Amino acid sequence: MGLIEVYFGSIAGIITLIGLAQGYARELGRSMIIIVAIFLLLYVEDRLNPILNSLWRMVFSTEDVGAQQLFLSNFYLIIFVVTIFAGYAGRVITFSGQQWPMPHGAVLSCLVGAVNGYLISGSLWYYQHIYGYPLSSLGWINPELSPIAVELIRYLPQNLMPSPTPWVIPIAILLLMRVRG
Amino acid sequence: MSASTPSTVAFVFYVLLFGWIGFRRGLFRELSVLIVSVGGFFLLQQNQGLALEIVRQVLGVLFGLLSVGAKLLASLRSGGGEDIGEPVYTLGASDWLSDADQPTVTFLVWAGLLLFAYLLTNKAIPDSLSSSGILASLLGIGNGLFYIPTFAPRLIAFIPEVSVSSVSSPGDGMQGLLDSMTDMMQSSFGDIWQTLGPQQPILAAIALTVLLVAVISTLRRGQT
């Protein structure tokens, strides 16, 4: 199993390439979906965790902390992934206008794709990190963090903006811009 | 007014200056310089020996030419018939540059590349290809922020009683490159980020918003 930063960096790289292929006009709508998903999960996390913990104890009648962490981590992981999949597979909010032609357009598509890649892979990493890398018990990821990984964790989206409130700023501004047309 | 106010004002001024430079020079020029500066920096960090060797070769050719020229001049002055003896310039490039000079030579090569990139992009990229806007300003600011950890430790050497710290830890291969990047992150964005304190989340949100709005504004401009 390779280094964790390579694992999540590869996910970000693939999403950047998707952004390059799709064009930034479409990727911007997906950025909104991703930001909304991050906001919602941050908003409900503190409220939902006690309920999920109670539910876990009620159903499985066990106090196994590792399994409980795995359950919580997977719960947020699945919700996040389903939301992102809906954003990529379905219709999203689009902004009017044409995108720049090559090569400028490709650069901007890469840029927006990289932002989306950072938000998505950073969020996946975050939900592993705060629950103690429970997927490592399944052998899916390497829990040993290199100095680079430790440094990068400081810059995960949810660590940069731990409160849901700042996430409202880009959502509100982008919605205003969409409404204005 | 707190003790950190002057440094905050200086930082804001620095950011505004590079934002303005980016706006004036345009997106494509700033992007080209960013690629050259970041790419060149990390590549040179990984290949310091190669950079030194190339500089030695170039200097060797220059010294050789100087030596031949000097011999020729001496020969002409003596009328061409007499023995001109030993060559005037006997120093080689390796006498000027020892292996201990690797970091200095690498930095000078990078600074030269950077200067060349600025001059070349000014001349080679027409205004019509390098549009001004928020994105261009952001790239300009990105360039400016990258120069802080690369230039600042060396400039600090001019100020007495302040130690000079290295911003990079050259190593071998990919691990060395990643180490250099980690050092760079810690010594630039990490330190800047720490000084922002409790304003970090709101500034991150503003940065993300400005970036997305800047990209959306290009859609509007391209509207038909």
Side-chain angles (χ1 to χ4, degrees), chain B residues 97-108:
Chain B
L97 298 171
S98 67
D99 287 345
D101 294 323
Q102 270 191 11
T104 309
V105 170
T106 306
F107 176 73
L108 289 176

Side-chain angles (χ1 to χ4, degrees), chain A residues 27-135:
Chain A
E27 283 297 303
L28 283 164
R30 286 165 190 155
S31 303
M32 272 198 73
I33 299 272
I34 299 164
I35 293 169
V36 168
I38 291 172
F39 163 75
L40 285 176
L41 288 183
L42 278 177
Y43 186 75
V44 299
E45 196 181 343
D46 288 344
R47 296 161 178 81
L48 207 59
N49 273 4
I51 300 169
L52 289 172
N53 282 331
S54 306
L55 192 70
W56 166 262
R57 280 193 293 269
M58 205 166 66
V59 174
F60 295 100
S61 306
T62 173
E63 291 292 330
D64 183 356
V65 178
Q68 199 169 344
Q69 299 283 70
L70 182 66
F71 168 68
L72 286 174
S73 156
N74 282 349
F75 176 82
Y76 291 111
L77 197 80
I78 289 167
I79 289 186
F80 186 73
V81 168
V82 167
T83 313
I84 300 308
F85 179 75
Y88 273 84
R91 289 170 67 92
V92 290
I93 291 173
T94 52
F95 293 89
S96 58
Q98 284 185 334
Q99 62 183 48
W100 278 356
M102 291 276 278
H104 301 68
V107 172
L108 290 183
S109 297
C110 253
L111 180 70
V112 181
V115 170
N116 288 351
Y118 159 71
L119 292 174
I120 292 172
S121 68
S123 299
L124 297 178
W125 189 344
Y126 174 78
Y127 283 108
Q128 281 301 301
H129 180 69
I130 57 165
Y131 293 111
Y133 299 94
L135 284 181

Side-chain angles (χ1 to χ4, degrees), chain B residues 34-45:
Chain B
L34 186 67
I35 291 168
V36 170
S37 62
V38 176
F41 182 84
F42 288 117
L43 280 176
L44 284 171
Q45 287 295 326

Side-chain angles (χ1 to χ4, degrees), chain B residues 59 69 72 87 98 142 149 169 181 192 194 197:
Chain B
L59 285 180
L72 197 66
S98 67
S169 51
M181 290 175 80
I192 293 168
Q194 286 302 318

Side-chain angles (χ1 to χ4, degrees), chain B residues 193-209:
Chain B
W193 195 243
Q194 286 302 318
T195 58
L196 295 174
Q199 309 303 325
Q200 288 171 355
I202 201 78
L203 287 169
I206 290 170
L208 179 64
T209 309

Side-chain angles (χ1 to χ4, degrees), chain B residues 38-212:
Chain B
V38 176
F41 182 84
F42 288 117
L43 280 176
L44 284 171
Q45 287 295 326
Q46 296 312 304
N47 302 289
Q48 290 192 357
L50 183 67
L52 183 69
E53 199 50 45
I54 290 171
V55 172
R56 273 181 181 161
Q57 295 291 334
V58 171
L59 285 180
V61 170
L62 281 176
F63 286 139
L65 286 174
L66 276 174
S67 179
V68 169
K71 274 184 188 175
L72 197 66
L73 271 177
S75 166
L76 286 173
R77 278 180 187 163
S78 64
E82 294 173 25
D83 181 21
I84 56 171
E86 289 296 309
V88 179
Y89 295 98
T90 54
L91 279 176
S94 52
D95 299 314
W96 286 74
L97 298 171
S98 67
D99 287 345
D101 294 323
Q102 270 191 11
T104 309
V105 170
T106 306
F107 176 73
L108 289 176
V109 168
W110 178 76
L113 260 179
L114 190 63
L115 186 66
F116 182 69
Y118 267 105
L119 293 173
L120 185 72
T121 51
N122 263 354
K123 295 284 179 195
I125 300 176
D127 288 345
S128 56
L129 265 179
S130 193
S131 52
S132 297
I134 306 172
L135 267 179
S137 296
L138 288 177
L139 276 177
I141 291 169
N143 275 327
L145 291 179
F146 185 73
Y147 302 149
I148 292 177
T150 46
F151 281 108
R154 288 155 180 97
L155 292 174
I156 284 171
F158 287 105
I159 305 168
E161 294 178 10
V162 178
S163 62
V164 179
S165 61
S166 174
V167 295
S168 58
S169 51
D172 293 329
M174 183 55 78
Q175 188 58 45
L177 179 69
L178 291 174
D179 287 346
S180 294
M181 290 175 80
T182 313
D183 279 359
M184 177 66 74
M185 280 176 67
Q186 278 171 341
S187 60
S188 56
F189 304 110
D191 292 348
I192 293 168
W193 195 243
Q194 286 302 318
T195 58
L196 295 174
Q199 309 303 325
Q200 288 171 355
I202 201 78
L203 287 169
I206 290 170
L208 179 64
T209 309
V210 168
L211 181 69
L212 293 176

